[in-house]
């Protein structure tokens, strides 16, 4: 929105001050400079503010704004006088302004470096963190214009505004003068003010994600009248998952007398539903999406999952359509997953949401999965499903026009249902923020990343957000410094997720290697050395080894105090009739389980080649699916084991974090199949503390899951 010629010609409209912000309740709003075109909006906004709030703003009864007030509050030079507004749906919900003053409090120009600041928030939007977000933005604007201090007069009874200033984290002074609290804020950022801003950002973005994946009601817009199709498939998956909330089918082509479809209430628009809808899954052609978004926005829908294609992945016209989609949704305070998304899954027993196109959904578990690609999402879901892994949440963000992996890192950081975060990223829109968030999250739970689009010049189609073109080696260094485990393939991601979600923590980098293949043992030994571990010489059980020999060797390795983790390598063994045994994996799995169950709690990884049934048998025994609370509570605790109700015994302290330099460019060998076998109960869930302490290191990945650090910091 550009200013009229009435405004100062010396200072152009500062469009870089415009910003979309996420508020405390997860909704969105837009902050922008106030212009002369906003007179009617300002008057309408002021009429909706309570008399009490007006009194707090002007220190006197002030029922309406005069024409002079309206002119003064809408005409700014963007240097000495600045006004910002927060808008939702194009209407004002809050304003802030500053006026530069001199030492006597009179209007001034530069080089005066102090300004008087005042806020006004519509009563219906108080408590959403609007004033805090405005203070951050007006402070940044003031610093840009050479202002170093804010002065504010607040009535003592205005506790909410006093708290906003007090909690901002800036150095401040307070005094009581003439019946008002006089506040002076030094606008130089401090460690405390930065911490406050990041904490507000984390809470707001986590809440915005929660509103999308834990809705109380879902409407599928574009539900087909006939079986099949995208919308009907999502509706079927919602019902099959047992979604605990209310479900609605929406299609403008439904007949007026059609009441239900698949047993779900059928409506021709969101407005016809007559009840609040939290989440809308949009599965209509791209040219009909704006109409659907308007219908959602005008009836209070909180968020959108847009499955529709035809956006930035289709070229310049699609990119503009995508930008308009985001602008439209945010104008109503809604966030978007997509467009061109594959959907979302939340396996929480309180939600049971499958608003996706996934043909098969893993069981509930402790792994969170984010992917930008629908195809990769299908591959990862299938891999986790086959391996018996359990998921807490799954998100396929498609073109990632709004919600990104950074938002889900904010959510997973404090999610008690997620122990491991897996991300497939085709690009890093904001590497600095990603590194900061990944470092904080990795301090409380492992973060595993596959980075696609490795070439610095490649941009994934459809990703209209700015993509940083940085060398792959730099990306690896950023992830390593953040404590992220970077793997090369989705197969390795599945392996790493299973290992980290299912295994107890090792006490150090000492690895025992045993098996019936000398070659596999040596490959494992070399891989451990390359990753900075301390492997012991491989123990060759020979090809004549029986499952009992594996059991005894594993039990002996686990009992050895000089061993922190074990890698078992296995190929088909020679049976009594002299032929290779390749189909009796269940027998070997039972032997390994027996040894693991009776030994000390240490990670065990099994690397096997062509042993039929072994992977399935081990997966069934070590599934990461969530254990019911009653079962967890009644599980016996044994000395030295990591238990949800019992900490690790003092005799087995957590390892000290240590870093080691990476080995970039090392060629990777094609990995054999890898399965994790827990030698104790699954890891206790990690709950982030108020300020992240140093966390214990995660378990050692097997050779086929290269780990950038040992232990992870």
């Amino acid at each position: 929105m550009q200013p009229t010629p009435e405004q100062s010609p010396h200072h152009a409209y500062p469009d870089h001050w415009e910003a979309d912000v996420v508020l405390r309740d997860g909704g969105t709003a837009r902050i922008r400079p106030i212009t002369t075109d906003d007179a009617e909006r300002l008057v309408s906004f002021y009429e909706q503010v309570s008399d009490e709030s007006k009194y707090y703003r002007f220190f006197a009864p002030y029922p309406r704004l005069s024409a002079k007030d309206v002119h003064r509050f809408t005409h700014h030079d963007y240097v000495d006088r600045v006004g910002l507004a927060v808008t939702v749906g194009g209407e004002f919900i809050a304003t802030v302004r500053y006026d530069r003053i001199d030492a006597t409090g009179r209007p001034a120009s530069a080089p005066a470096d102090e300004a008087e600041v005042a806020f006004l928030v519509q009563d219906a939007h108080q408590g959403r963190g609007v004033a805090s977000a405005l203070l951050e933005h007006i402070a940044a604007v003031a610093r840009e214009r050479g202002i170093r201090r804010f002065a504010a007069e607040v009535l003592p009874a205005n506790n909410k505004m006093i708290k906003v200033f007090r909690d901002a984290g800036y150095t401040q002074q307070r005094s009581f003068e003439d019946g008002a609290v006089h506040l002076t804020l030094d606008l130089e950022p401090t460690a405390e003010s930065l911490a406050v801003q990041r904490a507000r950002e984390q809470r707001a973005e986590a809440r915005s994600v929660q509103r999308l994946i834990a809705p109380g009601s879902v409407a599928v817009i574009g539900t087909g009248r006939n079986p099949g199709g995208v919308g009907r498939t999502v509706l079927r998956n919602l019902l099959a998952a047992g979604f605990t909330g209310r479900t609605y089918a929406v299609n403008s082509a439904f007949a007026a007398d059609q009441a239900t479809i698949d047993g779900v209430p059928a409506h021709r628009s969101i407005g016809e539903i007559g009840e609040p809808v939290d989440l809308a899954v949009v599965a209509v052609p791209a040219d009909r999406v704006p109409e659907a978004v308007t219908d959602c926005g005008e009836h209070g829908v909180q968020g959108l999952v847009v499955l529709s294609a035809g956006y930035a992945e289709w070229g310049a016209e699609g990119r503009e359509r995508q930008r308009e989609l985001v602008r439209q949704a945010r104008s109503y305070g809604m966030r978007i997953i997509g467009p061109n998304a594959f959907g979302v899954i939340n396996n929480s027993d309180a939600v049971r949401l499958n608003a996706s196109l996934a043909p098969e959904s893993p069981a509930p578990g402790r792994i969170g999965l984010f992917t930008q690609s629908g195809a990769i999402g299908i591959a990862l879901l299938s891999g986790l499903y086959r391996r018996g892994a359990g998921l807490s949440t799954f998100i396929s963000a498609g073109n990632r026009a709004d919600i990104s992996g950074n938002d889900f890192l904010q959510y997973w950081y404090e999610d008690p249902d997620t122990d491991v975060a897996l991300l497939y990223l085709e690009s890093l829109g904001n590497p600095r923020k990603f590194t900061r968030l990944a470092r904080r999250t990795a301090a409380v739970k492992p973060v595993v990343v596959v980075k696609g689009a490795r070439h610095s010049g490649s941009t994934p189609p459809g990703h209209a957000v700015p993509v940083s073109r940085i060398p792959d080696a730099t990306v690896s260094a950023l992830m390593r410094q953040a404590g992220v485990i970077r793997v090369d393939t989705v197969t390795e991601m599945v392996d790493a997720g299973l290992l980290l979600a299912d295994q107890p923590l090792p006490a150090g980098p000492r690895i025992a290697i045993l098996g019936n293949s000398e070659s596999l043992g040596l490959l494992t030994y070399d891989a451990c050395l390359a990753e900075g571990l301390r492997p012991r010489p491989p123990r060759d059980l020979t090809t004549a080894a029986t499952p009992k020999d594996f059991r005894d060797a594993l039990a002996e390795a686990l009992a050895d105090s000089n061993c922190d983790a074990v890698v078992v390598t296995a190929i088909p063994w020679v049976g009594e009739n002299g032929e290779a045994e390749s189909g009796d994996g269940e027998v070997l799995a039972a032997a390994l389980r027996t040894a693991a169950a009776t030994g000390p709690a240490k990670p065990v990884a099994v690397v096997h080649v062509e042993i039929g049934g072994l992977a399935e048998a081990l997966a069934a025994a070590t599934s990461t699916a969530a254990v019911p609370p009653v079962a967890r509570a009644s599980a016996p605790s044994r000395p030295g084991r990591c238990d949800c109700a019992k900490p690790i015994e003092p005799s087995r302290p957590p390892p000290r974090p240590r870093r080691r330099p990476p080995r970039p460019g090392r060629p990777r060998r094609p990995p054999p199949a890898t399965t994790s076998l827990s030698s104790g109960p699954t890891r206790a869930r990690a709950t982030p503390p108020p300020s992240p302490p140093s966390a214990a290191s995660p378990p050692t990945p097997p050779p086929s899951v290269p780990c950038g650090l040992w232990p992870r910091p």
Side-chain angles (χ1 to χ4, degrees):
M1 181 178 296
Q2 300 301 319
T4 67
E6 289 181 82
Q7 292 182 291
S8 171
H10 303 293
H11 306 291
Y13 177 81
D15 52 11
H16 64 287
W17 292 352
E18 296 182 353
D20 291 316
V21 295
V22 183
L23 303 177
R24 183 178 297 153
D25 62 357
T28 63
R30 187 160 186 80
I31 295 179
R32 64 168 177 82
I34 297 174
T35 75
T36 56
D37 293 334
D38 290 321
E40 291 185 7
R41 293 184 183 87
L42 183 65
V43 171
S44 175
F45 158 71
Y46 195 76
E47 289 175 348
Q48 298 178 62
V49 175
S50 69
D51 291 339
E52 181 182 52
S53 294
K54 293 173 182 175
Y55 186 88
Y56 285 155
R57 168 64 177 85
F58 293 103
F59 293 16
Y62 214 87
R64 65 187 57 84
L65 296 175
S66 66
K68 182 178 180 180
D69 292 328
V70 173
H71 184 275
R72 181 162 59 97
F73 293 151
T74 56
H75 287 67
H76 308 96
D77 63 6
Y78 303 126
V79 177
D80 298 328
R81 291 179 296 109
V82 171
L84 301 180
V86 181
T87 66
V88 173
E91 300 301 318
F92 286 9
I93 66 168
T95 61
V96 64
R97 61 178 283 115
Y98 78 66
D99 294 270
R100 196 187 300 257
I101 58 175
D102 60 19
T104 66
R106 298 178 63 83
S109 299
D113 60 358
E114 185 171 338
E116 186 176 38
V117 66
F119 296 77
L120 185 59
V121 180
Q122 203 175 94
D123 295 67
H125 294 276
Q126 292 178 10
R128 301 183 65 197
V130 176
S132 297
L134 265 180
L135 179 57
E136 291 177 17
H137 283 261
I138 197 70
V141 168
R143 288 193 295 268
E144 180 181 327
R145 296 310 196 202
I147 293 172
R148 296 291 173 259
R149 289 181 305 281
F150 272 163
E153 301 285 341
V154 186
L155 289 175
N158 193 356
N159 294 317
K160 292 181 181 179
M161 199 66 240
I162 292 175
K163 187 175 188 300
V164 168
F165 286 118
R166 184 183 67 234
D167 294 346
Y170 294 112
T171 302
Q172 58 184 271
Q173 295 178 344
R174 272 186 283 178
S175 61
F176 189 77
E177 303 174 9
D178 299 327
V181 178
H182 181 79
L183 293 158
T184 302
L185 277 71
D186 186 341
L187 299 184
E188 186 67 26
T190 65
E192 184 180 355
S193 69
L194 290 175
V196 168
Q197 292 175 22
R198 289 173 178 175
R200 186 194 66 79
E201 172 193 70
Q202 190 275 326
R203 289 191 301 269
E205 293 180 357
R207 175 59 180 154
S208 72
V209 169
Q210 185 182 32
R211 297 203 322 175
L212 289 165
I213 66 174
S217 56
V218 176
V220 181
I221 303 176
T223 303
R225 290 172 292 177
N226 300 315
V230 174
R232 196 70 176 268
T233 299
V234 172
L235 181 63
R236 182 193 64 210
N237 291 343
L238 277 167
L239 297 175
F243 176 54
T244 58
R246 301 180 305 279
T247 306
Y248 306 98
V250 178
N251 190 330
S252 60
F254 284 156
D257 59 349
Q258 182 164 359
T260 64
I261 185 168
D262 290 343
V264 170
H267 300 276
R268 289 180 294 178
S269 68
I270 293 291
E272 283 188 3
I273 294 175
E275 297 180 0
V277 174
D278 296 332
L279 178 69
V281 180
V282 181
V284 299
D287 60 349
R288 292 175 49 199
V289 170
E291 175 187 349
V293 173
T294 298
D295 190 23
C296 291
E298 291 181 350
H299 293 92
V301 174
Q302 296 183 351
L304 305 172
V305 176
V306 181
L307 308 182
S308 311
Y311 287 89
E313 76 278 8
W314 282 17
E317 182 180 351
R319 283 194 293 272
E320 180 54 37
R321 184 184 296 125
Q322 182 166 302
R323 284 191 288 266
E324 181 56 34
L325 169 65
V326 175
R327 284 195 295 266
Q328 184 185 13
R330 286 180 175 173
S331 72
Y332 289 109
M334 297 184 293
R335 298 208 71 183
I336 300 174
I337 293 178
N340 197 27
F342 189 70
V344 297
I345 296 173
N346 183 352
N347 277 328
S348 167
D349 191 56
V351 182
R352 298 201 295 272
L353 173 74
N354 182 1
S356 78
L357 300 171
E360 50 192 21
S361 175
R366 315 294 304 170
I367 297 174
L369 174 61
F370 174 90
T371 173
Q372 294 174 202
S373 164
I376 298 300
I378 294 174
L380 284 166
L381 286 174
S382 298
L384 291 166
Y385 182 84
R386 289 194 304 270
R387 301 284 293 277
L391 281 183
S392 61
T393 45
F394 162 77
I395 309 91
S396 170
N399 290 5
R400 199 193 61 179
D402 182 15
I403 292 284
S404 70
N406 286 347
D407 295 288
F408 276 89
L409 282 176
Q410 299 276 42
Y411 174 77
W412 283 328
Y413 168 70
E414 59 181 12
D415 178 26
D417 293 331
T418 301
D419 286 342
V420 180
L422 308 183
L423 298 96
Y424 175 84
L425 303 176
E426 294 177 345
S427 60
L428 295 178
N430 188 340
R432 181 173 298 178
K433 183 175 181 179
F434 171 81
T435 303
R436 172 169 58 85
L437 299 184
R439 179 182 296 111
R440 183 185 58 185
T441 305
V444 295
K445 57 189 68 175
V447 177
V448 184
V449 172
V450 172
K451 172 64 172 65
R454 284 176 172 267
H455 300 291
S456 60
S458 60
T459 300
H463 292 185
V465 296
V467 176
S468 299
R469 301 178 182 275
I470 54 179
D472 187 67
T474 304
V475 173
S476 294
L478 288 173
M479 292 187 181
R480 184 175 64 253
Q481 292 169 6
V484 171
I485 301 172
R486 182 177 182 182
V487 295
D488 291 335
T489 67
V490 294
T491 300
E492 291 180 352
M493 173 179 276
V494 172
D495 286 340
L498 286 166
L499 186 68
L500 294 167
D502 188 54
Q503 295 284 336
L505 297 175
R510 300 168 298 181
I511 311 298
I513 303 168
L514 61 94
N516 63 349
S517 168
E518 182 179 11
S519 297
L520 276 182
L522 291 174
L523 288 173
T524 303
Y525 182 84
D526 289 344
C528 289
L529 287 176
E531 294 298 334
L533 305 176
R534 290 165 51 190
R536 299 169 60 183
R539 179 177 176 181
D540 183 13
L541 303 179
T542 76
T543 55
T546 65
K548 180 179 181 301
D549 296 326
F550 275 91
R551 182 195 65 192
D552 295 341
L554 178 56
E556 182 179 341
L558 291 172
D560 188 346
S561 60
N562 294 317
C563 163
D564 301 312
V566 182
V567 178
V568 177
T569 63
I571 61 173
W573 60 92
V574 178
E576 295 180 357
N577 58 3
E579 296 180 358
E581 298 284 350
S582 60
D584 204 7
E586 292 187 5
V587 177
L588 178 58
L592 296 175
R593 290 200 305 268
T594 300
T598 56
K602 298 177 182 179
V604 180
V606 180
V607 182
H608 52 93
V609 176
E610 296 298 330
I611 300 182
L614 178 59
E616 293 77 6
L618 290 177
T622 62
S623 172
T624 62
V627 181
V630 174
R632 276 201 302 267
S634 61
S637 297
R638 290 189 283 268
R641 294 183 181 274
C642 180
D643 192 282
C644 290
K646 181 177 180 180
I648 297 175
E649 294 290 326
S651 59
R652 301 210 23 107
R656 294 177 299 169
R658 291 178 293 177
R659 297 180 181 268
R660 74 168 188 86
R663 299 177 63 91
R666 181 175 61 86
R668 304 292 191 191
R669 301 182 181 89
T674 307
T675 302
S676 63
L677 177 69
S678 174
S679 62
T682 56
R683 297 191 312 120
R685 64 178 66 181
T687 301
S691 55
S694 297
S697 305
T700 311
S704 61
V705 188
C707 177
L709 302 173
W710 173 262
R712 282 187 342 96

